[in-house]
Amino acid sequence: MRWAPVSVLAVGAGPYTFASCDDCRRKVELSPQRSSWRCARCGHRGGSADLSHRFRLRLRVADGSGAAASATLFGPCLEALFGASADDFARALEALQ
């Protein structure tokens, strides 16, 4: 992988967090009542008490040549930007709804 400085052209619309599997970190399927979840990838299951969230931020970026591309950032590297863990951020958003 090669890193290059880029300029952010646009930030994608949310959601900025998603419910994720504790084992493989993929997005999970929530039950209609949000009381349980299941990972389609690895089959792991859990209840709402042990539901974890991850950050996901979609960006449109350009390098010095003007070439634009899409980029997606995941995980704890975004905690400083959002000022909270993904779990705390998701709980705060739920409380607002």
Side-chain angles (χ1 to χ4, degrees):
M1 181 182 306
R2 191 178 67 119
W3 294 96
V6 296
S7 298
V8 176
L9 302 175
V11 176
Y16 301 112
T17 65
F18 64 95
S20 68
C21 177
D22 293 334
D23 287 349
C24 70
R25 304 180 67 122
R26 298 288 178 142
K27 187 175 180 178
V28 297
E29 300 166 2
L30 297 172
S31 68
Q33 302 82 13
R34 297 182 58 92
S35 59
S36 62
W37 56 268
R38 179 185 159 295
C39 179
R41 180 172 185 247
C42 72
H44 191 77
R45 296 176 180 270
S48 61
D50 56 15
L51 183 62
S52 296
H53 288 83
R54 292 187 72 202
F55 281 119
R56 174 181 54 212
L57 183 62
R58 295 181 179 128
L59 304 172
R60 188 80 179 149
V61 298
D63 64 10
S65 72
S70 296
T72 304
L73 304 176
F74 289 96
C77 66
L78 295 169
E79 288 180 2
L81 178 67
F82 285 96
S85 70
D87 287 326
D88 290 343
F89 191 79
R91 276 193 291 273
L93 287 178
E94 269 188 31
L96 292 174
Q97 294 177 356

